[in-house]
Amino acid sequence: MAVDAEAQFHVLAVDDSLMDRKLIERLLKTSSFQVTTVDSGSKALEVLGLKEDQTSTPALSPEHNEIEVNLVITDYCMPGMTGYDLLKKIKESSSLKDIPVVIMSSENVPSRINRCLEEGAEEFFLKPVQLSDMRRLRPHILKGKHKEQQLHQEENSNTNHIIISSSNNNNMSNKRKAMDEEVLSERTRLRFSSSSLNVI
Amino acid sequence: MSLMALREQLNGLVNSMFLEGLLDDQFEQLQMLQDESSPGFIAELITLFCGDSERILAELTKLLDQAVVDYQKVDAFVHQLKGSSSSVGAQHVKLACVQFRQFCEEHNKEGCLCALNVVKHEYYLLRGKFDTMLQLEQRIQAYESKQQI
């Protein structure tokens, strides 16, 4: 097997069904992701370092977080905290809001899909989730990472005028790549934003 | 039976299940996900599916036996069963669940009882074939591990 030179990203998968957890775990591992699965929204928040009633993680520097999660993929229909509730909590948290969230559901309900996308979900997968769906995850993770990188580079170039030209080049190529990925995810998002909301 | 004959039997069985519509594309997805690093993946999923299904069918039988039926609970169980049958590629069971939910929505007790029988029929038919499938797979894998030694 060839050595994978790309960074391994860590996905947190949330589903109350054991079968579906096994399935999503296999799908993610086959697609070279590191996986943690939990069976509820509240357990997911624990893994993310957030107690249910908190809005931000305790004041620790990022390096101190036990587990870095690059993407959360969650079932919509769960007892107690639904996937939508979990999505809201993540987006309302100052420390977690930039983590991309993908929602899964066995039912194609347009109002549900819209609600989730409006709340900040990157995508909505119809179950059963397939291998081809896994390819749509990386762009969302990379988009978030580029945002981070750009923020850092902007901070650096503000304090270091001498290096402006090279950091500008970096910014341009990052922006182009980020735009390409945005176009890609825009295209896929269109699958669920047309009025008929039919999955192609 | 030789390894080749076992493989032929297993392939024949799975193919016939696809042809009859007992299994759909999702099962093909599962086959793609099973490899040397996870040889027991399909067996595990099938075992979980059967355990879940039988538990749910027992609950449904009890619920529909009541004088006053709690359709919300019935629907919740059928929704679960529909989900797991969909995940494992059990097409006929899944379709039977879709029908069942219609009757639930209409609060049609007769319809629900009928639908439950259809689901049971489809499930046990599938379960028999799954049993054979897993037995064949086990024998094949035992052969293959012997060959590696």
Side-chain angles (χ1 to χ4, degrees):
Chain A
M1 249 201 286
V3 174
D4 196 351
E6 289 181 345
Q8 261 223 322
F9 293 128
H10 181 207
V11 176
L12 175 62
V14 192
D15 201 316
D16 59 315
S17 155
L18 178 56
M19 265 187 77
D20 285 346
R21 282 202 301 282
K22 293 276 171 192
L23 182 53
I24 194 76
E25 183 181 42
R26 190 92 278 279
L27 283 166
L28 288 165
K29 282 190 171 155
T30 301
S31 312
S32 304
F33 290 104
Q34 264 185 315
V35 190
T36 299
T37 60
V38 293
D39 64 3
S40 71
S42 41
K43 294 236 182 85
L45 290 176
E46 269 179 54
V47 169
L48 291 165
L50 192 70
K51 301 242 168 60
E52 250 176 272
D53 48 7
Q54 280 180 313
T55 50
S56 65
T57 50
L60 296 169
S61 58
E63 297 88 79
H64 284 250
N65 280 348
E66 282 143 8
I67 304 171
E68 201 209 336
V69 171
N70 301 117
L71 183 137
V72 175
I73 182 164
T74 177
D75 189 25
Y76 182 93
C77 270
M78 295 189 292
M81 198 187 292
T82 65
Y84 177 76
D85 298 329
L86 176 60
L87 167 67
K88 273 195 87 174
K89 287 251 188 269
I90 290 174
K91 293 302 164 185
E92 282 166 7
S93 152
S94 47
S95 45
L96 302 176
K97 64 179 165 60
D98 290 327
I99 299 180
V101 181
V102 170
I103 310 274
M104 308 179 275
S105 177
S106 53
E107 292 171 318
N108 188 354
V109 181
S111 54
R112 178 184 292 185
I113 297 171
N114 277 327
R115 226 168 133 230
C116 290
L117 293 177
E118 276 164 23
E119 196 60 41
E122 304 294 332
E123 287 232 38
F124 193 100
F125 288 161
L126 227 43
K127 279 177 156 181
V129 178
Q130 308 201 315
L131 260 176
S132 52
D133 294 324
M134 297 293 98
R135 276 183 250 135
R136 287 148 66 176
L137 298 178
R138 206 168 286 265
H140 295 305
I141 298 176
L142 292 174
K143 193 167 59 168
K145 293 248 158 208
H146 276 126
K147 258 195 238 158
E148 258 181 74
Q149 257 185 39
Q150 275 185 302
L151 264 163
H152 285 314
Q153 280 178 335
E154 273 165 24
E155 285 166 12
N156 285 340
S157 59
N158 280 338
T159 55
N160 228 328
H161 299 287
I162 305 162
I163 323 174
I164 276 184
S165 52
S166 52
S167 65
N168 271 348
N169 282 339
N170 281 339
N171 275 337
M172 283 309 289
S173 62
N174 281 346
K175 276 196 188 126
R176 205 184 305 128
K177 203 173 181 200
M179 259 173 60
D180 285 346
E181 275 146 8
E182 254 175 54
V183 169
L184 177 66
S185 51
E186 232 354 87
R187 241 187 266 130
T188 53
R189 199 171 296 175
L190 279 170
R191 281 176 160 205
F192 299 105
S193 55
S194 64
S195 51
S196 58
L197 272 158
N198 281 321
V199 177
I200 299 157
Chain B
M1 207 187 275
S2 75
L3 180 56
M4 193 165 81
L6 282 172
R7 284 201 183 118
E8 268 176 28
Q9 242 200 323
L10 179 56
N11 288 337
L13 173 61
V14 175
N15 282 336
S16 71
M17 289 170 81
F18 278 121
L19 280 172
E20 288 165 39
L22 289 177
L23 295 175
D24 61 23
D25 288 346
Q26 177 61 12
F27 194 80
E28 264 188 76
Q29 283 280 313
L30 301 184
Q31 288 175 308
M32 285 197 285
L33 289 171
Q34 176 158 302
D35 60 19
E36 312 82 48
S37 68
S38 66
F41 176 64
I42 289 184
E44 193 182 13
L45 227 49
I46 285 178
T47 307
L48 283 174
F49 167 68
C50 291
D52 274 357
S53 303
E54 285 171 40
R55 176 185 53 88
I56 290 172
L57 290 174
E59 294 289 343
L60 287 170
T61 308
K62 256 194 278 172
L63 285 167
L64 286 172
D65 205 23
Q66 308 294 315
V68 180
V69 175
D70 185 341
Y71 288 103
Q72 225 184 3
K73 281 202 182 131
V74 172
D75 185 71
F77 277 121
V78 181
H79 171 77
Q80 253 189 72
L81 184 54
K82 175 172 159 270
S84 37
S85 56
S86 165
S87 293
V88 86
Q91 186 167 236
H92 282 181
V93 176
K94 180 183 72 171
L95 291 173
C97 287
V98 173
Q99 282 293 335
F100 199 150
R101 290 189 87 190
Q102 292 276 50
F103 289 124
C104 250
E105 242 174 275
E106 298 161 13
H107 288 211
N108 181 342
K109 188 169 182 180
E110 278 309 306
C112 283
L113 284 167
C114 196
L116 177 58
N117 278 336
V118 174
V119 175
K120 280 178 176 170
H121 171 82
E122 291 298 342
Y123 167 72
Y124 283 108
L125 180 63
L126 179 62
R127 156 94 203 258
K129 302 207 176 200
F130 270 159
D131 282 347
T132 308
M133 192 195 289
L134 293 191
Q135 276 170 39
L136 284 170
E137 199 186 51
Q138 256 182 356
R139 288 167 70 188
I140 291 169
Q141 286 177 348
Y143 240 116
E144 285 171 344
S145 57
K146 253 192 265 168
Q147 284 191 337
Q148 275 167 11
I149 294 170

